[in-house]
Amino acid sequence: MVQVCVVGSLNMDLVVKTPRLPQVGETLTGAEFGTFPGGKGANQAVAAARLGAAVTMIGCVGADAFGVQQLSGLRREGIDVARVRTEPGAATGVAFITVDAAGQNMIVVAPGANMRLRPEDVVAAARVIAAARVVLLQLEVPMDAVVRAARLGREAGAIVCLDPAPAALLPDDLWPLIDVINPNETEARVLTGLPVTSISEAERAAEALLQKGASAAVIKLGERGSVYVSTTGRAHVPAIPVKALDTTAAGDAFAAALGVALGEGQALPDAVRFATHAAALKVTRMGAQSMPTRAEVEEAMAR
């Protein structure tokens, strides 16, 4: 069983379904409303656990009902939350999500306690990181905590995977610590300054990410699949056609599955294919943490 350590965010998602996404200044009447556990870090932790990994979460929640719900939910998934700190002076992070009839979404995040995660919290969990085969990182917590986690992971010989979301420029000292970076089109454009509107442009952007210092890059292209580039090869991997119900956290399903597969020793092309199937299954379900199990992904791949 591969050991995965996730350093990242924990949010509560407040989700409303609408026939379409609203325009600027428009009040739109929605349909169903739901409250779901979320946050890119917690989403990836749940996804990795359901894919068979032993998962430890490092993060920060507020001393409120949402924080209690988050920790309880992760414990039910078998995730070790001993290193998730409860911050009395902050609210648990919240995401406000609108999902249209095609499953596309708009998201506004109020990070709350996530921004209280400190490098000292990461250092305090150094033994946990050192024991991990894979370290999964995102950008919904302070950058200095991300850099510290990446450095500890690299020093311990772990595979360091960064999902650079939300889009932000990265400090120079982070790049050489990244084994695999997996942005979407928007994030790749922010990181490289290059357009990412076609497969060939995505390949050029991925090359630019390697030139910055990452060992491998996988750019997620939504319905067009993904493109990966490493020192040993490159390819476009098509998406799996499905009827999308909710695209929220599809990228998290992809990132977690990619990390788990690499941690198990799968080659990058096989890991990307595994991640593609996991993400395809995720978008057929409502809620950020409605992640597929290992058996479901393997059955989908067999088909």
Side-chain angles (χ1 to χ4, degrees), residues 192-218:
T192 66
L194 299 173
V196 188
T197 60
S198 66
I199 302 302
S200 60
E201 286 180 350
E203 288 185 350
R204 284 194 289 273
E207 290 171 356
L209 295 173
L210 264 63
Q211 291 170 4
K212 288 179 175 292
S215 298
V218 183

PDB file of all heavy atoms in Angstrom, residues 192-218:
ATOM      1  N   THR A 192       3.415  29.943 -17.482  1.00  0.00           N
ATOM      2  CA  THR A 192       4.350  30.029 -18.602  1.00  0.00           C
ATOM      3  C   THR A 192       4.220  31.303 -19.422  1.00  0.00           C
ATOM      4  O   THR A 192       5.157  31.661 -20.160  1.00  0.00           O
ATOM      5  CB  THR A 192       4.170  28.836 -19.556  1.00  0.00           C
ATOM      6  OG1 THR A 192       2.858  28.924 -20.168  1.00  0.00           O
ATOM      7  CG2 THR A 192       4.297  27.519 -18.822  1.00  0.00           C
ATOM      8  N   GLY A 193       3.068  31.973 -19.350  1.00  0.00           N
ATOM      9  CA  GLY A 193       2.818  33.116 -20.213  1.00  0.00           C
ATOM     10  C   GLY A 193       2.505  32.728 -21.635  1.00  0.00           C
ATOM     11  O   GLY A 193       2.412  33.590 -22.520  1.00  0.00           O
ATOM     12  N   LEU A 194       2.304  31.439 -21.898  1.00  0.00           N
ATOM     13  CA  LEU A 194       2.034  30.941 -23.244  1.00  0.00           C
ATOM     14  C   LEU A 194       0.556  30.607 -23.415  1.00  0.00           C
ATOM     15  O   LEU A 194      -0.107  30.212 -22.457  1.00  0.00           O
ATOM     16  CB  LEU A 194       2.861  29.675 -23.512  1.00  0.00           C
ATOM     17  CG  LEU A 194       4.379  29.829 -23.460  1.00  0.00           C
ATOM     18  CD1 LEU A 194       5.047  28.465 -23.572  1.00  0.00           C
ATOM     19  CD2 LEU A 194       4.854  30.742 -24.581  1.00  0.00           C
ATOM     20  N   PRO A 195       0.024  30.718 -24.623  1.00  0.00           N
ATOM     21  CA  PRO A 195      -1.366  30.298 -24.864  1.00  0.00           C
ATOM     22  C   PRO A 195      -1.479  28.776 -24.765  1.00  0.00           C
ATOM     23  O   PRO A 195      -0.538  28.050 -25.102  1.00  0.00           O
ATOM     24  CB  PRO A 195      -1.638  30.786 -26.288  1.00  0.00           C
ATOM     25  CG  PRO A 195      -0.285  30.838 -26.937  1.00  0.00           C
ATOM     26  CD  PRO A 195       0.670  31.240 -25.851  1.00  0.00           C
ATOM     27  N   VAL A 196      -2.624  28.312 -24.298  1.00  0.00           N
ATOM     28  CA  VAL A 196      -2.861  26.864 -24.192  1.00  0.00           C
ATOM     29  C   VAL A 196      -4.257  26.590 -24.739  1.00  0.00           C
ATOM     30  O   VAL A 196      -5.186  26.245 -24.007  1.00  0.00           O
ATOM     31  CB  VAL A 196      -2.733  26.372 -22.737  1.00  0.00           C
ATOM     32  CG1 VAL A 196      -2.786  24.839 -22.688  1.00  0.00           C
ATOM     33  CG2 VAL A 196      -1.436  26.854 -22.102  1.00  0.00           C
ATOM     34  N   THR A 197      -4.399  26.753 -26.060  1.00  0.00           N
ATOM     35  CA  THR A 197      -5.703  26.587 -26.696  1.00  0.00           C
ATOM     36  C   THR A 197      -5.758  25.390 -27.636  1.00  0.00           C
ATOM     37  O   THR A 197      -6.786  25.137 -28.251  1.00  0.00           O
ATOM     38  CB  THR A 197      -6.076  27.857 -27.488  1.00  0.00           C
ATOM     39  OG1 THR A 197      -5.076  28.093 -28.493  1.00  0.00           O
ATOM     40  CG2 THR A 197      -6.153  29.065 -26.562  1.00  0.00           C
ATOM     41  N   SER A 198      -4.656  24.654 -27.746  1.00  0.00           N
ATOM     42  CA  SER A 198      -4.609  23.486 -28.620  1.00  0.00           C
ATOM     43  C   SER A 198      -3.661  22.461 -28.021  1.00  0.00           C
ATOM     44  O   SER A 198      -2.928  22.744 -27.073  1.00  0.00           O
ATOM     45  CB  SER A 198      -4.120  23.882 -30.025  1.00  0.00           C
ATOM     46  OG  SER A 198      -2.763  24.309 -29.970  1.00  0.00           O
ATOM     47  N   ILE A 199      -3.675  21.268 -28.583  1.00  0.00           N
ATOM     48  CA  ILE A 199      -2.792  20.208 -28.100  1.00  0.00           C
ATOM     49  C   ILE A 199      -1.329  20.613 -28.287  1.00  0.00           C
ATOM     50  O   ILE A 199      -0.496  20.442 -27.390  1.00  0.00           O
ATOM     51  CB  ILE A 199      -3.081  18.882 -28.836  1.00  0.00           C
ATOM     52  CG1 ILE A 199      -4.544  18.463 -28.644  1.00  0.00           C
ATOM     53  CG2 ILE A 199      -2.143  17.793 -28.337  1.00  0.00           C
ATOM     54  CD1 ILE A 199      -4.960  18.294 -27.213  1.00  0.00           C
ATOM     55  N   SER A 200      -1.006  21.164 -29.440  1.00  0.00           N
ATOM     56  CA  SER A 200       0.391  21.539 -29.702  1.00  0.00           C
ATOM     57  C   SER A 200       0.841  22.664 -28.772  1.00  0.00           C
ATOM     58  O   SER A 200       1.976  22.662 -28.294  1.00  0.00           O
ATOM     59  CB  SER A 200       0.561  21.949 -31.169  1.00  0.00           C
ATOM     60  OG  SER A 200      -0.273  23.054 -31.487  1.00  0.00           O
ATOM     61  N   GLU A 201      -0.065  23.614 -28.510  1.00  0.00           N
ATOM     62  CA  GLU A 201       0.287  24.680 -27.574  1.00  0.00           C
ATOM     63  C   GLU A 201       0.476  24.141 -26.162  1.00  0.00           C
ATOM     64  O   GLU A 201       1.351  24.595 -25.420  1.00  0.00           O
ATOM     65  CB  GLU A 201      -0.792  25.760 -27.580  1.00  0.00           C
ATOM     66  CG  GLU A 201      -0.773  26.632 -28.830  1.00  0.00           C
ATOM     67  CD  GLU A 201      -1.844  27.696 -28.816  1.00  0.00           C
ATOM     68  OE1 GLU A 201      -2.733  27.650 -27.937  1.00  0.00           O
ATOM     69  OE2 GLU A 201      -1.789  28.588 -29.692  1.00  0.00           O
ATOM     70  N   ALA A 202      -0.340  23.160 -25.794  1.00  0.00           N
ATOM     71  CA  ALA A 202      -0.197  22.545 -24.474  1.00  0.00           C
ATOM     72  C   ALA A 202       1.153  21.847 -24.356  1.00  0.00           C
ATOM     73  O   ALA A 202       1.799  21.890 -23.301  1.00  0.00           O
ATOM     74  CB  ALA A 202      -1.332  21.559 -24.227  1.00  0.00           C
ATOM     75  N   GLU A 203       1.596  21.203 -25.410  1.00  0.00           N
ATOM     76  CA  GLU A 203       2.905  20.548 -25.390  1.00  0.00           C
ATOM     77  C   GLU A 203       4.020  21.570 -25.205  1.00  0.00           C
ATOM     78  O   GLU A 203       4.963  21.343 -24.435  1.00  0.00           O
ATOM     79  CB  GLU A 203       3.118  19.754 -26.676  1.00  0.00           C
ATOM     80  CG  GLU A 203       2.278  18.482 -26.767  1.00  0.00           C
ATOM     81  CD  GLU A 203       2.614  17.662 -27.996  1.00  0.00           C
ATOM     82  OE1 GLU A 203       3.350  18.174 -28.870  1.00  0.00           O
ATOM     83  OE2 GLU A 203       2.138  16.512 -28.077  1.00  0.00           O
ATOM     84  N   ARG A 204       3.905  22.715 -25.886  1.00  0.00           N
ATOM     85  CA  ARG A 204       4.928  23.756 -25.736  1.00  0.00           C
ATOM     86  C   ARG A 204       4.925  24.312 -24.315  1.00  0.00           C
ATOM     87  O   ARG A 204       5.990  24.575 -23.732  1.00  0.00           O
ATOM     88  CB  ARG A 204       4.698  24.869 -26.757  1.00  0.00           C
ATOM     89  CG  ARG A 204       5.123  24.511 -28.174  1.00  0.00           C
ATOM     90  CD  ARG A 204       5.204  25.733 -29.065  1.00  0.00           C
ATOM     91  NE  ARG A 204       3.872  26.256 -29.369  1.00  0.00           N
ATOM     92  CZ  ARG A 204       3.120  25.844 -30.384  1.00  0.00           C
ATOM     93  NH1 ARG A 204       3.551  24.878 -31.183  1.00  0.00           N
ATOM     94  NH2 ARG A 204       1.936  26.372 -30.591  1.00  0.00           N
ATOM     95  N   ALA A 205       3.729  24.473 -23.748  1.00  0.00           N
ATOM     96  CA  ALA A 205       3.650  24.964 -22.368  1.00  0.00           C
ATOM     97  C   ALA A 205       4.256  23.953 -21.402  1.00  0.00           C
ATOM     98  O   ALA A 205       4.948  24.321 -20.445  1.00  0.00           O
ATOM     99  CB  ALA A 205       2.199  25.260 -21.998  1.00  0.00           C
ATOM    100  N   ALA A 206       4.003  22.671 -21.644  1.00  0.00           N
ATOM    101  CA  ALA A 206       4.572  21.634 -20.789  1.00  0.00           C
ATOM    102  C   ALA A 206       6.093  21.636 -20.876  1.00  0.00           C
ATOM    103  O   ALA A 206       6.790  21.467 -19.866  1.00  0.00           O
ATOM    104  CB  ALA A 206       4.010  20.263 -21.174  1.00  0.00           C
ATOM    105  N   GLU A 207       6.617  21.839 -22.075  1.00  0.00           N
ATOM    106  CA  GLU A 207       8.076  21.946 -22.235  1.00  0.00           C
ATOM    107  C   GLU A 207       8.614  23.118 -21.421  1.00  0.00           C
ATOM    108  O   GLU A 207       9.679  23.011 -20.785  1.00  0.00           O
ATOM    109  CB  GLU A 207       8.418  22.128 -23.710  1.00  0.00           C
ATOM    110  CG  GLU A 207       8.167  20.896 -24.574  1.00  0.00           C
ATOM    111  CD  GLU A 207       8.307  21.203 -26.052  1.00  0.00           C
ATOM    112  OE1 GLU A 207       8.529  22.386 -26.389  1.00  0.00           O
ATOM    113  OE2 GLU A 207       8.178  20.272 -26.868  1.00  0.00           O
ATOM    114  N   ALA A 208       7.885  24.229 -21.419  1.00  0.00           N
ATOM    115  CA  ALA A 208       8.323  25.401 -20.670  1.00  0.00           C
ATOM    116  C   ALA A 208       8.333  25.123 -19.164  1.00  0.00           C
ATOM    117  O   ALA A 208       9.197  25.630 -18.437  1.00  0.00           O
ATOM    118  CB  ALA A 208       7.406  26.585 -20.982  1.00  0.00           C
ATOM    119  N   LEU A 209       7.401  24.315 -18.700  1.00  0.00           N
ATOM    120  CA  LEU A 209       7.368  23.953 -17.278  1.00  0.00           C
ATOM    121  C   LEU A 209       8.584  23.117 -16.905  1.00  0.00           C
ATOM    122  O   LEU A 209       9.131  23.259 -15.805  1.00  0.00           O
ATOM    123  CB  LEU A 209       6.081  23.203 -16.963  1.00  0.00           C
ATOM    124  CG  LEU A 209       4.785  24.003 -17.129  1.00  0.00           C
ATOM    125  CD1 LEU A 209       3.571  23.105 -16.943  1.00  0.00           C
ATOM    126  CD2 LEU A 209       4.737  25.170 -16.150  1.00  0.00           C
ATOM    127  N   LEU A 210       9.026  22.251 -17.832  1.00  0.00           N
ATOM    128  CA  LEU A 210      10.242  21.484 -17.580  1.00  0.00           C
ATOM    129  C   LEU A 210      11.464  22.392 -17.568  1.00  0.00           C
ATOM    130  O   LEU A 210      12.379  22.209 -16.754  1.00  0.00           O
ATOM    131  CB  LEU A 210      10.406  20.383 -18.640  1.00  0.00           C
ATOM    132  CG  LEU A 210       9.879  18.996 -18.252  1.00  0.00           C
ATOM    133  CD1 LEU A 210       8.378  19.017 -18.013  1.00  0.00           C
ATOM    134  CD2 LEU A 210      10.224  17.970 -19.328  1.00  0.00           C
ATOM    135  N   GLN A 211      11.470  23.382 -18.434  1.00  0.00           N
ATOM    136  CA  GLN A 211      12.595  24.310 -18.475  1.00  0.00           C
ATOM    137  C   GLN A 211      12.699  25.123 -17.186  1.00  0.00           C
ATOM    138  O   GLN A 211      13.792  25.528 -16.785  1.00  0.00           O
ATOM    139  CB  GLN A 211      12.453  25.246 -19.678  1.00  0.00           C
ATOM    140  CG  GLN A 211      12.641  24.534 -21.011  1.00  0.00           C
ATOM    141  CD  GLN A 211      12.261  25.402 -22.203  1.00  0.00           C
ATOM    142  OE1 GLN A 211      11.925  26.574 -22.046  1.00  0.00           O
ATOM    143  NE2 GLN A 211      12.306  24.822 -23.385  1.00  0.00           N
ATOM    144  N   LYS A 212      11.572  25.321 -16.510  1.00  0.00           N
ATOM    145  CA  LYS A 212      11.588  26.043 -15.239  1.00  0.00           C
ATOM    146  C   LYS A 212      12.152  25.189 -14.114  1.00  0.00           C
ATOM    147  O   LYS A 212      12.513  25.708 -13.059  1.00  0.00           O
ATOM    148  CB  LYS A 212      10.184  26.523 -14.885  1.00  0.00           C
ATOM    149  CG  LYS A 212       9.694  27.680 -15.751  1.00  0.00           C
ATOM    150  CD  LYS A 212       8.287  28.091 -15.363  1.00  0.00           C
ATOM    151  CE  LYS A 212       7.836  29.318 -16.121  1.00  0.00           C
ATOM    152  NZ  LYS A 212       8.582  30.539 -15.727  1.00  0.00           N
ATOM    153  N   GLY A 213      12.169  23.849 -14.297  1.00  0.00           N
ATOM    154  CA  GLY A 213      12.787  23.000 -13.290  1.00  0.00           C
ATOM    155  C   GLY A 213      12.024  21.763 -12.904  1.00  0.00           C
ATOM    156  O   GLY A 213      12.579  20.860 -12.267  1.00  0.00           O
ATOM    157  N   ALA A 214      10.734  21.666 -13.256  1.00  0.00           N
ATOM    158  CA  ALA A 214       9.968  20.466 -12.940  1.00  0.00           C
ATOM    159  C   ALA A 214      10.497  19.282 -13.749  1.00  0.00           C
ATOM    160  O   ALA A 214      10.954  19.444 -14.887  1.00  0.00           O
ATOM    161  CB  ALA A 214       8.488  20.679 -13.233  1.00  0.00           C
ATOM    162  N   SER A 215      10.426  18.090 -13.171  1.00  0.00           N
ATOM    163  CA  SER A 215      10.927  16.900 -13.869  1.00  0.00           C
ATOM    164  C   SER A 215       9.955  16.402 -14.928  1.00  0.00           C
ATOM    165  O   SER A 215      10.364  15.815 -15.933  1.00  0.00           O
ATOM    166  CB  SER A 215      11.201  15.785 -12.859  1.00  0.00           C
ATOM    167  OG  SER A 215      12.200  16.187 -11.938  1.00  0.00           O
ATOM    168  N   ALA A 216       8.643  16.604 -14.697  1.00  0.00           N
ATOM    169  CA  ALA A 216       7.622  16.189 -15.659  1.00  0.00           C
ATOM    170  C   ALA A 216       6.431  17.115 -15.516  1.00  0.00           C
ATOM    171  O   ALA A 216       6.193  17.691 -14.451  1.00  0.00           O
ATOM    172  CB  ALA A 216       7.200  14.741 -15.434  1.00  0.00           C
ATOM    173  N   ALA A 217       5.672  17.280 -16.608  1.00  0.00           N
ATOM    174  CA  ALA A 217       4.493  18.140 -16.596  1.00  0.00           C
ATOM    175  C   ALA A 217       3.336  17.424 -17.270  1.00  0.00           C
ATOM    176  O   ALA A 217       3.508  16.807 -18.324  1.00  0.00           O
ATOM    177  CB  ALA A 217       4.780  19.458 -17.314  1.00  0.00           C
ATOM    178  N   VAL A 218       2.168  17.508 -16.643  1.00  0.00           N
ATOM    179  CA  VAL A 218       0.931  16.975 -17.221  1.00  0.00           C
ATOM    180  C   VAL A 218      -0.073  18.116 -17.225  1.00  0.00           C
ATOM    181  O   VAL A 218      -0.428  18.634 -16.157  1.00  0.00           O
ATOM    182  CB  VAL A 218       0.376  15.797 -16.400  1.00  0.00           C
ATOM    183  CG1 VAL A 218      -0.879  15.232 -17.072  1.00  0.00           C
ATOM    184  CG2 VAL A 218       1.427  14.710 -16.206  1.00  0.00           C
TER     185      VAL A 218
END
